[in-house]
Amino acid sequence: MTDKEIMRIRKEIVLETGIPALYQNGFEKSPYSEADFGWHPSLGYFYELCRLRENSVVERVRIDVVKGDRWIKVWLNAFQLTPTVKNLNDLKDIDGIKFRLPPCSLSEMRIHVDDRKGISLFDIENWKSAHKLRKSITDSGSNQAITSLSENIQHDLKNIDHFFKRWYELHALSNTTWDGILKTEPA
């Protein structure tokens, strides 16, 4: 497979299985004005989705399909926004770039990487569920690798609440303004 084919395959998996699974879990395209949702010239495909939870908590998912890579990287983060948000459309046209920069980005968690317990070398189950398009020398092996990656992405994003539960175990919820400026008092 060429790099172009690998990019196309991973993008199709995200669009056909990953994003629909997130939509089923209440996520929607991020309302922020600079939010990525598609091709970024010479870098790859990036998709940012959000959902609003109770107490003005916004959970964010970012999916990266980077050029020259075989991975589909899924990142999670959550914030409690001040003042209270009643609808994600309230955030429309606000520049939320600070959510992707430190200090807000320090609590980002990549699923199947940052959420592991124990030594990853011995985590055979995690290897099987990784979000990497495996290399193969045969067409049937390539088809199996594509099917496996698609099933893993669909399964994990359908069960995104499992990963957010782990995120809440590892991180404290940050209290921020609508545009990503951290408040000094704890949430």
Side-chain angles (χ1 to χ4, degrees):
M1 278 189 264
T2 67
D3 284 345
K4 202 172 202 174
E5 290 173 316
I6 292 168
M7 176 72 85
R8 179 189 53 78
I9 290 166
R10 291 180 300 138
K11 175 191 76 158
E12 288 175 0
I13 289 171
V14 168
L15 292 176
E16 293 172 7
T17 64
I19 291 175
L22 289 172
Y23 286 158
Q24 290 174 355
N25 279 294
F27 283 86
E28 55 189 76
K29 184 179 169 188
S30 178
Y32 287 103
S33 61
E34 85 325 314
D36 291 319
F37 206 82
W39 176 250
H40 217 299
S42 75
L43 295 177
Y45 294 92
F46 301 90
Y47 304 92
E48 188 177 310
L49 297 98
C50 298
R51 73 177 168 189
L52 185 60
R53 306 297 271 190
E54 58 188 44
N55 298 325
S56 198
V57 172
V58 173
E59 294 179 339
R60 298 167 55 109
V61 174
R62 192 182 81 236
I63 303 172
D64 298 349
V65 180
V66 180
K67 193 173 179 182
D69 194 357
R70 290 183 160 266
W71 291 90
I72 295 174
K73 298 172 185 168
V74 181
W75 302 87
L76 310 178
N77 214 344
F79 303 93
Q80 185 169 28
L81 299 185
T82 304
T84 301
V85 176
K86 297 194 184 339
N87 188 314
L88 281 177
N89 286 332
D90 294 345
L91 305 174
K92 188 178 178 188
D93 300 325
I94 293 177
D95 184 4
I97 191 72
K98 291 183 181 170
F99 286 106
R100 289 191 274 171
L101 301 172
C104 289
S105 66
L106 296 176
S107 59
E108 266 190 338
M109 180 183 89
R110 182 171 160 201
I111 66 174
H112 290 301
V113 175
D114 298 330
D115 59 334
R116 291 184 178 154
K117 293 179 183 176
I119 301 171
S120 61
L121 179 63
F122 303 115
D123 191 357
I124 303 296
E125 288 305 310
N126 200 36
W127 290 355
K128 292 178 186 175
S129 62
H131 297 160
K132 182 177 183 179
L133 183 59
R134 305 267 179 227
K135 292 181 181 180
S136 179
I137 54 175
T138 65
D139 286 343
S140 64
S142 293
N143 290 337
Q144 177 57 37
I146 292 166
T147 301
S148 177
L149 177 59
S150 182
E151 289 171 353
N152 290 342
I153 289 291
Q154 184 174 29
H155 176 268
D156 287 346
L157 297 184
K158 273 187 177 178
N159 297 295
I160 197 73
D161 290 334
H162 165 78
F163 296 101
F164 270 107
K165 180 180 176 193
R166 181 70 175 135
W167 185 93
Y168 287 109
E169 290 172 4
L170 296 172
H171 301 282
L173 195 60
S174 298
N175 191 346
T176 69
T177 63
W178 286 13
D179 58 353
I181 298 172
L182 286 177
K183 297 285 195 169
T184 54
E185 69 272 3

